[in-house]
Amino acid sequence: MLSRMSTDGENLAIELTHDEALVVFDFLTRFSDTDQLQIEDQAEQRALRNLQCVFEKALVEIFDPQLPELIEAAKNRLRDSSDAT
């Protein structure tokens, strides 16, 4: 189980079990290699749902009525400058 998340303002630290780390790594590597996001095993679904639960507990923004705008702003900050829209 993803057991906790800590924050120091701008950074979040997520603690995963070794099994979760392996499963999420494999899922992300497959996506990176194929450009297809597809869950192929129930363990992937479980690991991703656990991760979502950790985020739900840590991100106060999810209760902000301006969440869509906050997400868009975060996306804009993360994009490569050549990909910005």
Side-chain angles (χ1 to χ4, degrees):
M1 174 194 280
L2 295 164
S3 55
R4 66 184 164 135
M5 176 183 286
S6 62
T7 181
D8 67 3
E10 288 296 314
N11 296 309
L12 299 175
I14 301 170
E15 189 171 305
L16 298 94
T17 66
H18 191 261
D19 288 344
E20 286 171 330
L22 284 172
V23 170
V24 171
F25 174 79
D26 182 57
F27 177 80
L28 294 173
T29 299
R30 190 173 64 247
F31 169 65
S32 180
D33 292 345
T34 66
D35 281 336
Q36 293 183 351
L37 269 177
Q38 184 172 342
I39 293 175
E40 294 184 358
D41 188 282
Q42 190 270 335
E44 294 170 348
Q45 184 178 42
R46 173 62 56 92
L48 293 171
R49 284 186 177 164
N50 289 351
L51 185 58
Q52 179 185 13
C53 289
V54 171
F55 288 141
E56 286 174 349
K57 291 177 183 176
L59 297 172
V60 296
E61 294 90 346
I62 65 172
F63 300 107
D64 190 314
Q66 302 222 333
L67 181 60
E69 292 86 358
L70 295 170
I71 292 172
E72 189 60 35
K75 287 178 179 180
N76 288 336
R77 290 188 297 273
L78 286 172
R79 283 189 190 102
D80 294 338
S81 59
S82 63
D83 292 340
T85 57

